[in-house]
Amino acid sequence: MNQIFDFFLDAYKNASTLDVILEAIAFVFGIVSVIYAKRENILVYPTGLIATIITVYLLYKAEYFGDMMMNFYYSVMSIYGWWNWARKKENEYIVPISRTNTQEKIIGIALFFITMYVTYLVYNVYGYKLEIPNYIDIITSGIFFTAMWYMATKKIENWTLWIIGDLITIPLYAYRGLGMLSLQYLIFTILAIQAYKQWKKSLNKKEQIA
């Protein structure tokens, strides 16, 4: 039991009190954001913005530039998603849950590869020596980038990508000694599975009505 506590606490022995508090705030708001997303509630975006902006700062300090770029992108895409989800026509929201069509799948694949390339360039610009965890980071960056775009447009496939990316990220953060973030992504995975089921149920109901 002590080893478990040590795993979560050792990484914070040399961290400042402010950084620990900020990570805890990001942890809470990140989970709250996913819960709102699961419920198709627009509050997913303001709560998510708090988490991502704090995380950008923390990851920059830790020099995890791939993750930092992704969280910066989350912040930008959250603003777009907030606007897109809020759009109404005749007092009805006009962006429903839907599946990706062929064109959107192609765009998603393109975003995946472009993001990996850009993330790779970011590491090189900073002169960072790439190791296996960084290459994994580059791949998950592509997955999460595409997932965030699909979420902003309410495509159910966003949850499939979140689940895949989260499952990869859990051991990655554990390997880096970031226990709190590893635990957060474990919770994200569970919530994403639940969210996929909930969105699929809602989508199937709408398709039956149509």
Side-chain angles (χ1 to χ4, degrees), residues 142-163:
I143 294 172
F144 289 144
F145 190 106
T146 309
M148 193 67 184
W149 181 66
Y150 280 158
M151 175 175 282
T153 53
K154 282 194 181 178
K155 302 300 177 181
I156 193 171
E157 289 84 356
N158 88 88
W159 293 116
T160 304
L161 294 177
W162 285 121
I163 292 166

Side-chain angles (χ1 to χ4, degrees), residues 170-190:
I170 293 168
L172 177 63
Y173 278 139
Y175 171 80
R176 289 170 168 173
L178 299 173
M180 191 180 295
L181 285 175
S182 181
L183 175 61
Q184 184 183 47
Y185 275 87
L186 174 60
I187 296 171
F188 282 168
T189 304
I190 296 169

